[in-house]
Amino acid sequence: MRHRVAVLVVLGLAVVSAGDREVLAADQAAPSAAVEVAPGDFVLPGVISLSNEQNAGQISNSGFVVGRDGVAVIDTGGSLVAGKRLLAALRAKTDLPILYVIFTHGHPDHTLGAAAFAELKPVFAGHRALPEVLASHGEDYLRAARALVGEANFAGTRVIAPTLLVDGVTELDLGGRKLKLETWPTGHTNADLTVTDEASGVLFLGDLLFSGHIPALDGKLTGWLDNLKKLRERAVRVVVPGHGPASMAWPQAADAQEAYLRRLRDDVGAAIRKGETMRETAATAAASERPNWRLFDDFNPRNATAAYHELEWE
Ligand SMILES: [Zn+2]
């Protein structure tokens, strides 16, 4: 049980009792209108919060790209209601058919809105490891999401596994507009995928980038830092983070997150060398980063624990 709670915490699904924890922006209304971050590239922002009844799991950024022949959706929010809100925001911008729904990774706040799109019969796309992730964790994701967003938001929510699987690079054509889907070595998770709109140069990073919301580590800390190093070299100017503003300037947008991940790596490494226990380390590592992030106490101890497991073998 302890393990399961820890796993859910890293997914932003912690059941927190109001009053004994700071839940910033938890009562903030989730936006209903999509922001056009570049011509034809839209983002429906999520609120920086854990999932709850008010936000219906709309706590991550979802996107859509409009081509000549159709639309690709990028991530779907964390419940059927969140997915329906995204569909409504999309329909306020275009009537074109939805050709693809692309998952940047498996976390429930990005995947559990998928059922809102199912009857439109898009092709669901994701990392080649994603079906396995959803098969092994999907039931836990659903159970936790139901408890957090409430039955009214949750009813009809289900896991939809991708059928178009990406291993390396795959290009999708929306009609005069190509999207480059690209998989990454284990970083935020073991199924991270980014989407580059080659027409506009906008890069949808999924949870390889957090801003404001503390990064949540469910993969490999050193891998995540390596991925960021490669991503920094990309000649793009605008990126969409998985959590944070609708769009950010690149590569400066990576600075704060890299500083956090490096601090975590260095503090956990030092604690291991000093012989500190995992418990001690989880309570102290990266504490200097606390003022820089929202939801710090919800994720930092779990991040430190995951980093400890990873780094103790190095
Ligand atoms: Zn995630």
Side-chain angles (χ1 to χ4, degrees):
M1 193 58 204
R2 180 176 291 257
H3 176 68
R4 170 159 296 165
V5 168
V7 167
L8 296 178
V9 166
V10 79
L11 302 174
L13 292 168
V15 182
V16 290
S17 52
D20 78 327
R21 250 191 235 202
E22 180 184 44
V23 182
L24 283 160
D27 55 356
Q28 188 185 329
S32 58
V35 179
E36 190 164 19
V37 300
D41 291 308
F42 296 87
V43 175
L44 180 64
V47 291
I48 295 186
S49 171
L50 303 178
S51 288
N52 60 36
E53 267 183 62
Q54 290 101 309
N55 60 44
Q58 189 186 328
I59 60 163
S60 61
N61 293 335
S62 297
F64 53 94
V65 181
V66 182
R68 188 191 59 226
D69 302 334
V71 186
V73 171
I74 302 166
D75 288 343
T76 61
S79 69
L80 181 65
V81 163
K84 284 184 171 170
R85 282 190 199 155
L86 173 60
L87 179 56
L90 186 156
R91 283 294 173 235
K93 304 293 181 187
T94 177
D95 291 326
L96 286 171
I98 296 171
L99 304 176
Y100 300 99
V101 172
I102 302 162
F103 299 120
T104 60
H105 63 296
H107 282 161
D109 53 322
H110 297 255
T111 57
L112 291 188
F117 300 89
E119 66 185 37
L120 304 172
K121 306 256 184 268
V123 173
F124 289 89
H127 190 291
R128 71 177 154 69
L130 189 54
E132 167 57 26
V133 170
L134 294 173
S136 56
H137 293 85
E139 287 303 317
D140 279 348
Y141 291 175
L142 289 168
R143 201 166 21 247
R146 171 181 248 143
L148 290 167
V149 303
E151 191 58 39
N153 290 317
F154 180 84
T157 298
R158 62 193 170 90
V159 171
I160 297 180
T163 53
L164 175 61
L165 302 182
V166 182
D167 183 3
V169 173
T170 293
E171 222 170 45
L172 304 179
D173 193 348
L174 304 177
R177 189 155 204 156
K178 285 184 174 157
L179 299 183
K180 185 169 84 170
L181 279 54
E182 195 171 1
T183 58
W184 291 86
T186 299
H188 169 63
T189 71
N190 68 343
D192 297 331
L193 175 148
T194 57
V195 181
T196 307
D197 177 358
E198 294 181 344
S200 65
V202 173
L203 173 57
F204 293 82
L205 284 168
D207 281 1
L208 283 172
L209 181 65
F210 286 73
S211 178
H213 181 308
I214 184 173
L217 175 62
D218 189 27
K220 207 169 164 223
L221 176 56
T222 50
W224 197 347
L225 281 165
D226 289 346
N227 292 345
L228 284 170
K229 200 171 161 190
K230 293 196 188 82
L231 281 162
R232 267 186 182 279
E233 292 161 11
R234 297 296 166 92
V236 298
R237 293 231 192 99
V238 174
V239 299
V240 178
H243 296 262
S247 68
M248 299 179 77
W250 192 252
Q252 319 68 303
D255 292 350
Q257 174 175 284
E258 266 191 347
Y260 170 77
L261 294 177
R262 283 208 197 99
R263 171 54 50 207
L264 185 66
R265 179 194 63 192
D266 294 349
D267 284 2
V268 170
I272 290 168
R273 285 192 296 278
K274 277 194 276 180
E276 288 179 11
T277 64
M278 189 151 52
R279 200 188 175 87
E280 288 165 334
T281 305
T284 57
S288 62
E289 284 282 326
R290 194 171 197 285
N292 300 335
W293 301 99
R294 287 150 105 175
L295 305 173
F296 187 86
D297 294 332
D298 294 293
F299 294 94
N300 187 64
R302 176 65 175 84
N303 289 345
T305 302
Y308 193 103
H309 280 298
E310 177 185 335
L311 298 175
E312 70 180 329
W313 300 106
E314 294 201 338

